[in-house]
Amino acid sequence: MSLVELIAQADERGLAASGLACLDRCVPLLGGDDEILRPLWASLAESEGWGQDEGWGEDWGERVEQARAKLDGPGVGGFAEGEASVLAQRMLGAVPVDRGAGNLREWADACSVAALQIHRLLDAASDGASSVTARREGRTQDMSPLVAAELRRQVAILEVLSAHGPAGLRQALALSTEGRRVLRAVVSRRARGRV
């Protein structure tokens, strides 16, 4: 299944985790530490109310606002990093505090596009002529390594959540943590190159 199809079929928790994972991988561009979004991951794991009329709403909303307050600062410098930082800030600003599937699907979809675009901006190799939209629809010929790895992570996270539900959150977090380390290394390497 393509990434677009996986997002279309995901449930509320899967959508929230997918969007959160994209944002989590991009935290290095926001100047945040590795634990800054951990309370939001915990909210996904703790709550039994996803897809129901009660449950995670208040906890999630409060934790979203706390994360926004902690990450509300200047992004990383440099042209590509600056543009990438703006995309990451938009992801953070758009996190829905409302648990409606429509809001979560729109946000998860936008995060997917933004995360791929961020990786494309920061990749030293060319990603060819194809658009990010084409990548998400499964056209992966001549993909650059950083974009290809990000696409694989997004697909893997949605697949594991679809197959295992809440039990897949730990694996989704591990995949996201791996991606964050990669992006942090890329940003660091680019910063050293400017010195």
Side-chain angles (χ1 to χ4, degrees):
M1 251 191 275
S2 73
L3 181 55
V4 170
E5 291 168 324
L6 287 166
I7 290 172
Q9 293 183 11
D11 64 12
E12 285 89 345
R13 192 189 310 256
L15 292 167
S18 175
L20 181 58
C22 288
L23 178 60
D24 198 2
R25 286 190 294 284
C26 296
V27 158
L29 293 165
L30 300 173
D33 66 47
D34 289 350
E35 299 298 313
I36 202 115
L37 297 179
R38 193 61 76 127
L40 286 169
W41 282 104
S43 183
L44 292 178
E46 291 164 2
S47 178
E48 297 301 319
W50 286 89
Q52 299 172 15
D53 288 335
E54 71 277 331
W56 65 277
E58 284 181 33
D59 226 19
W60 171 263
E62 287 171 15
R63 292 175 187 189
V64 166
E65 294 306 331
Q66 289 166 2
R68 283 186 182 138
K70 289 176 184 171
L71 291 169
D72 186 23
V76 176
F79 175 74
E81 290 87 342
E83 194 176 339
S85 294
V86 168
L87 289 169
Q89 279 289 352
R90 285 185 192 150
M91 275 196 271
L92 176 65
V95 180
V97 292
D98 176 327
R99 69 175 163 235
N103 292 337
L104 288 169
R105 196 170 314 283
E106 184 179 329
W107 177 63
D109 198 56
C111 285
S112 167
V113 170
L116 286 166
Q117 187 61 33
I118 285 167
H119 284 75
R120 190 177 204 174
L121 285 166
L122 298 178
D123 203 333
S126 171
D127 190 44
S130 288
S131 68
V132 168
T133 301
R135 302 307 190 201
R136 295 175 72 240
E137 291 170 349
R139 295 192 294 279
T140 58
Q141 185 177 1
D142 300 325
M143 284 181 80
S144 63
L146 203 59
V147 175
E150 172 61 14
L151 182 66
R152 280 193 304 272
R153 278 187 202 96
Q154 289 190 27
V155 168
I157 285 169
L158 284 161
E159 286 176 344
V160 76
L161 291 168
S162 174
H164 303 290
L169 284 169
R170 186 179 301 272
Q171 193 175 347
L173 177 58
L175 285 163
S176 189
T177 300
E178 174 198 359
R180 185 178 350 104
R181 287 188 190 122
V182 168
L183 196 65
R184 193 176 296 283
V186 168
V187 170
S188 178
R189 189 165 51 247
R190 290 174 68 97
R192 284 195 306 271
R194 289 195 304 271
V195 175

